[in-house]
Amino acid sequence: MDWLTFIAEIAKALGWPVAAVIVTFLFRDQLRALLVRVRKGRLGPAEFEFEESVKTLKSEAAEITQGPPEVLSKDTVALLASNPHGAIITSWLELEEAMRTLLKAKRFAAPAVASPLRTMHAVKDLGLIDPVYVELTDELRQLRNRASHEPNFTPSQESVIDYVRLAKELSSIYRAAAEA
């Protein structure tokens, strides 16, 4: 192989990668603006959809809940750091138990199949709590399902903390309704 053929082959091999780098450089501002609007995707450890959903729920909850955000115990913070999946599941189970406690306190039998969805519908259908709280609970349930069933699920610690706080706040609301 002579030098001209060698240079031609290198130019062919590097053509597309170099073009991609140049286009990315030229349109970096537009690409950055586009990435801000992305709602679902994965880039390294970030999961856009979960994070965006938690932010939305956090802002919705801030409009209807009173008082400062739920203070997390040392055990919960340790669990968040070591096992975000476990923190999400544990906080969800506490919320689910609070819904069942509300049903029992109001002397309603738990649904025959005590799935979280049926328990939520029972609480909503019986009018035991404001439907807005039940909707927030359902959105947390869907996020918990995503955390439980998606392989390679790695949300940011901030979004897990927000999820846990929201679940704890809703648990408090359900328990307060049970005591009323």
Side-chain angles (χ1 to χ4, degrees):
M1 176 184 298
D2 63 9
W3 283 102
L4 289 177
T5 307
F6 177 73
I7 292 172
E9 290 298 319
I10 287 178
K12 278 196 252 180
L14 294 177
W16 280 109
V18 169
V21 168
I22 291 170
V23 168
T24 302
F25 180 75
L26 291 174
F27 295 104
R28 67 182 175 273
D29 294 333
Q30 292 87 346
L31 289 171
R32 190 175 298 128
L34 180 63
L35 286 175
V36 169
R37 291 188 266 152
V38 171
R39 292 197 169 265
K40 183 175 182 177
R42 184 173 300 162
L43 180 63
E47 294 212 3
F48 305 118
E49 186 175 18
F50 184 86
E51 317 246 338
E52 188 66 31
S53 298
V54 170
K55 284 180 188 175
T56 302
L57 285 176
K58 184 179 174 183
S59 65
E60 289 175 11
E63 295 173 6
I64 59 174
T65 58
Q66 306 85 15
E70 188 75 25
V71 177
L72 301 179
S73 70
K74 289 181 183 178
D75 292 339
T76 303
V77 173
L79 182 61
L80 285 167
S82 65
N83 184 358
H85 294 264
I88 291 170
I89 302 298
T90 301
S91 61
W92 170 256
L93 290 173
E94 290 173 14
L95 177 55
E96 195 176 331
E97 184 58 34
M99 287 189 290
R100 287 195 192 100
T101 300
L102 175 59
L103 284 174
K104 290 176 190 172
K106 300 302 180 183
R107 303 208 190 310
F108 292 105
V113 176
S115 73
L117 191 58
R118 287 183 185 241
T119 303
M120 272 189 320
H121 285 303
V123 168
K124 185 177 180 181
D125 293 344
L126 294 168
L128 300 177
I129 200 162
D130 189 330
V132 173
Y133 296 124
V134 178
E135 289 175 26
L136 284 172
T137 303
D138 189 40
E139 291 180 37
L140 284 179
R141 179 188 63 83
Q142 292 173 25
L143 290 172
R144 186 265 315 174
N145 286 345
R146 195 171 303 142
S148 298
H149 302 296
E150 285 186 11
N152 303 323
F153 180 78
T154 52
S156 71
Q157 187 170 8
E158 181 183 339
S159 65
V160 175
I161 289 171
D162 289 341
Y163 181 96
V164 169
R165 280 199 172 121
L166 287 170
K168 288 189 176 295
E169 287 177 17
L170 284 171
S171 296
S172 298
I173 290 169
Y174 281 103
R175 286 193 183 93
E179 293 171 2

